[in-house]
Amino acid sequence: MAGIGKTWPDQAEWTGKLYSAGWRESDGGTRKVIEPATGRPLAEVGVAAPTDVSRAGVRAALAVGDWAATAPSERVEVLLRASSALRAHGDTVRDWIVRESAGVPAKGDYEIAAALGQLAHAVGLASLPQGEVLAPQASGGDGGGLAWRVPLGVVGVINPWNAPLLFAMRALAPALALGNAVLLKPDLLTPVSGGVLVARLLEEAGLPEGLLHVLPGDAETGQAVVADPHVAMIAFTGSTEAGRAVARLGGEGLKKVCLELGGKNSIIVLDDADVEAAALAGAVSAFGYQGQACVAAGRHLVHADLVEPYTEALVRRAKAMRIGDPRTEGVTIGPVISERQAARIERIVDESVADGARLLTGGRRQGLFYPPTVMDHVERTMPVFTEEIFGPVAPVIPFHSETQAVEIANDTAYGLTAAVHSSSVPRAAAVTGRLRTGMVHINDVCAKDAPNAPFGGMGVSGNGSRIGGTASLEQFTQWRWMTTPTGV
């Protein structure tokens, strides 16, 4: 196998194993990790069976009490050391992200920077005021009381393959900072950058044993994490279909569930927009990381007066992108993650073309390499309009008024993010106020994230929960109320 880190992380230590109070053999066997660009194996990891999850839940429950009682200043010292370790091993981490997830090096750099941001924000989160002094109430017969936030206990984190390091740190860092233990289930397509490396960084940082368990696996493993009686809360990022299953199973256990799901996001270009700037934002939002992001632009809604120059600019940018192995210098778009994903993109585009949509560029794949694709003549009944594509495809749809643009953008059950382009910020802001999305950006890409922002969507893009910023304090803790007798 084509190993990456020669000295760190030591593959001999973790090959074929999972991390649960140390590196150990799994009951679920092993799985090879395949590089999408070459088809060659990169590594081999342990696959967590339900029995592995059960033992991890017990270990986490035994360890979390002491951790919750540890001073926040001591907990965040571990995160600060993890941040230093990530900086020290940044080149190796980037290589794993590039080869395992098939993103270009810039995508690896982005994930590392974003993960560092999540760690830094979690450090600050632990020092925020954690409660309130309550005023006495005559009807209660007491002298007031205190209300403060306490850790949930054991948190289950289930993540997809598209931003493995970032998504792991986005939930894991605040959960640990606030006194919880974590069962982390990375996707089997990216278990190293989304799990093994995370465990090694926290291990190097001195995280006490039993507080982090990395349990790579498939749906069966995820179900075991959700159902485990020691797990109080689930933070899930993935498809809406899978999110519904997590919500149902979590609901049976009356567990707190945070869902960050899919999107069918619009970039809206008003008639006074800077066309070139809008097309650049549209290209980044649609083609960045092969369009494999919940925040990717799945619809390009352009005023009829600008649709021709916008489309020409978008096609020009699509044709200028170089496709190939993301490790090759100058390559700007790599393969999609798997044959299953490539076939899905192909079906959506081909069915839409059969229904009358027109390909302006792209639309024909070679293996896992799907080129940046621009389409017009798109109707609202076509799969390319209705379905989340998760591929580098940009459907362009004209509109004639702001009201029509808003109506088209809102014609979806999703409600994750959007972007509006206009030379007038107040005008764009007025349009954003009419969109049913959890996030919206003016004169920018729609694919954005920040550690201090409440990330999440409306509709079937989530369940009303948010993660990031002070929302993470709400997610990973719960209230406790204590009263004292009057006069005491």
Side-chain angles (χ1 to χ4, degrees):
M1 288 181 286
I4 297 175
K6 302 303 181 184
T7 58
W8 188 96
D10 182 1
Q11 284 194 235
E13 181 182 24
W14 55 264
T15 291
K17 299 177 183 177
L18 51 75
Y19 186 75
S20 183
W23 297 99
R24 59 184 68 233
E25 305 290 337
S26 67
D27 291 347
T30 64
R31 180 75 64 88
K32 284 185 170 57
V33 181
I34 304 301
E35 183 176 20
T38 65
R40 293 195 295 266
L42 291 173
E44 188 173 3
V45 297
V47 177
T51 49
D52 295 308
V53 174
S54 180
R55 286 191 290 267
V58 171
R59 294 182 184 116
L62 290 172
V64 74
D66 288 344
W67 182 244
T70 299
S73 59
E74 294 181 39
R75 296 199 297 259
V76 301
E77 279 295 327
V78 174
L79 299 185
L80 290 170
R81 291 194 295 269
S83 181
S84 296
L86 178 53
R87 286 187 171 90
H89 301 299
D91 289 345
T92 300
V93 173
R94 183 195 308 108
D95 288 346
W96 273 109
I97 293 172
V98 169
R99 298 188 66 181
E100 191 178 37
S101 73
V104 296
K107 190 254 192 185
D109 289 336
Y110 166 77
E111 278 207 57
I112 292 169
L116 289 169
Q118 295 293 340
L119 286 164
H121 189 269
V123 167
L125 198 66
S127 65
L128 290 177
Q130 304 287 308
E132 303 169 357
V133 177
L134 305 180
Q137 300 295 310
S139 61
D142 59 56
L146 301 175
W148 71 99
R149 303 199 68 89
V150 297
L152 292 166
V154 181
V155 173
V157 178
I158 302 175
N159 284 332
W161 44 263
N162 55 337
L165 178 67
L166 167 57
F167 288 152
M169 288 299 185
R170 186 173 68 179
L172 177 150
L176 289 175
L178 294 168
N180 300 285
V182 174
L183 305 189
L184 172 64
K185 192 207 83 67
D187 194 284
L188 283 172
L189 292 172
T190 53
V192 179
S193 48
V196 170
L197 299 186
V198 176
R200 286 296 294 116
L201 290 169
L202 269 299
E203 194 176 35
E204 188 171 314
L207 182 70
E209 188 174 276
L211 294 174
L212 173 63
H213 304 262
V214 175
L215 307 165
D218 54 16
E220 182 183 36
T221 310
Q223 290 165 4
V225 171
V226 177
D228 188 270
H230 300 97
V231 172
M233 181 257 190
I234 295 294
F236 174 85
T237 302
S239 71
T240 294
E241 179 183 6
R244 285 193 173 103
V246 169
R248 284 192 294 267
L249 186 57
E252 291 178 7
L254 300 179
K255 303 186 182 202
K256 190 173 190 176
V257 178
C258 173
L259 301 176
E260 196 277 283
L261 308 177
K264 188 64 180 177
N265 314 301
S266 294
I267 182 166
I268 301 173
V269 183
L270 302 182
D271 58 2
D272 62 345
D274 181 327
V275 173
E276 286 296 329
L280 173 59
V284 172
S285 298
F287 307 141
Y289 187 46
Q290 296 80 268
Q292 298 174 121
C294 59
V295 289
R299 296 173 180 172
H300 298 243
L301 311 184
V302 185
H303 192 277
D305 291 347
L306 298 183
V307 71
E308 184 175 344
Y310 178 89
T311 303
E312 289 175 354
L314 192 61
V315 168
R316 184 174 68 250
R317 291 187 177 278
K319 289 182 175 179
M321 299 187 78
R322 183 181 171 191
I323 305 169
D325 186 328
R327 292 181 298 159
T328 303
E329 186 175 355
V331 166
T332 52
I333 185 166
V336 298
I337 193 68
S338 66
E339 173 59 30
R340 177 183 178 184
Q341 185 61 23
R344 172 184 167 80
I345 300 165
E346 186 174 52
R347 174 190 62 79
I348 291 172
V349 171
D350 288 353
E351 288 181 3
S352 298
V353 170
D355 289 343
R358 182 174 63 170
L359 283 170
L360 300 177
T361 187
R364 293 291 179 268
R365 70 170 171 127
Q366 293 184 339
L368 300 186
F369 294 89
Y370 202 99
T373 298
V374 181
M375 307 175 72
D376 66 0
H377 296 181
V378 173
E379 300 293 335
R380 290 161 69 171
T381 56
M382 296 175 179
V384 76
F385 181 91
T386 60
E387 297 186 36
E388 184 181 28
I389 304 169
F390 237 65
V393 180
V396 180
I397 300 134
F399 64 84
H400 296 275
S401 68
E402 292 177 12
T403 296
Q404 185 184 27
V406 169
E407 192 270 329
I408 296 172
N410 286 339
D411 184 13
T412 176
Y414 293 105
L416 188 55
T417 187
V420 179
H421 283 254
S422 170
S423 61
S424 168
V425 171
R427 182 185 179 195
V431 172
T432 68
R434 299 163 64 188
L435 299 174
R436 293 196 301 269
T437 60
M439 302 173 287
V440 66
H441 310 287
I442 294 175
N443 292 336
D444 206 341
V445 298
C446 60
K448 292 183 73 69
D449 189 21
N452 63 341
F455 191 99
M458 299 178 181
V460 300
S461 291
N463 62 343
S465 56
R466 297 292 185 270
I467 192 167
T470 55
S472 290
L473 179 61
E474 176 74 25
Q475 287 299 335
F476 297 111
T477 61
Q478 57 189 329
W479 282 105
R480 173 174 287 159
W481 175 36
M482 180 182 73
T483 63
T484 57
T486 303
V488 176

